[in-house]
Amino acid sequence: MGKLSKRNILWIIPIGILGVFWYFYGPQKDITDNEYITYVKNYSIENSNKSLATAFASSCQNPYWLYFETQKGQDVVEFKGDCPINNKDAKVNVQFLVDPSKTNVKYGAMLVDNKMQEESHRDNFLLTLTKD
């Protein structure tokens, strides 16, 4: 094996740096089962005995629950599924923000077919799902 030339070193260093960035910031495996997801699934909206997991499972197809932490440290649980909106199925994403002590759940963003919805539409959708 020959000596490393300056030219080879100038190729190896950037490739090594890219490898390190890919390792730390590249695609991550989805977290689909942890205590935050369990807490949100068992959470009931005010004036309802139905949990969010039961409500989504009874109305939506292909339910998928996902946990992630934002860059600011906020714990987020996201529901993805095909749910009835205006009498037709649409791809729905709803985010739930969980406080670190797992005592409260706030409603986050809601997307229907990748379009952001207003808070009032999100709240009406969740209330309709959890009606007894």
Side-chain angles (χ1 to χ4, degrees):
M1 187 158 178
K3 278 177 47 179
L4 282 176
S5 67
K6 289 181 184 177
R7 182 177 178 176
N8 289 343
I9 291 173
L10 290 176
W11 278 102
I12 292 171
I13 290 173
I15 290 172
I17 291 171
L18 286 172
V20 169
F21 274 103
W22 182 264
Y23 178 77
F24 286 107
Y25 300 109
Q28 303 292 322
K29 186 176 178 182
D30 286 348
I31 300 172
T32 57
D33 187 27
N34 74 0
E35 68 232 35
Y36 289 98
I37 293 174
T38 303
Y39 179 71
V40 171
K41 281 182 167 182
N42 293 326
Y43 187 79
S44 295
I45 293 179
E46 63 274 348
N47 301 326
S48 175
N49 295 327
K50 199 185 267 190
S51 70
L52 287 173
T54 304
F56 279 115
S58 66
S59 299
C60 301
Q61 302 296 318
N62 307 317
Y64 186 73
W65 294 87
L66 173 71
Y67 166 81
F68 63 92
E69 185 176 338
T70 66
Q71 291 178 344
K72 294 183 179 180
Q74 176 67 57
D75 297 303
V76 179
V77 173
E78 182 175 65
F79 169 82
K80 296 180 181 184
D82 300 321
C83 303
I85 304 278
N86 297 330
N87 297 323
K88 46 183 204 176
D89 282 348
K91 294 202 176 296
V92 174
N93 294 19
V94 183
Q95 293 181 345
F96 301 95
L97 312 172
V98 184
D99 65 341
S101 59
K102 292 189 283 306
T103 57
N104 193 16
V105 173
K106 293 182 183 175
Y107 312 133
M110 177 176 163
L111 296 139
V112 175
D113 290 329
N114 295 321
K115 293 179 185 161
M116 182 71 92
Q117 301 297 303
E118 294 180 16
E119 290 180 16
S120 59
H121 291 130
R122 176 204 59 210
D123 294 343
N124 288 336
F125 173 74
L126 291 174
L127 287 172
T128 302
L129 277 181
T130 57
K131 276 186 186 173
D132 290 328

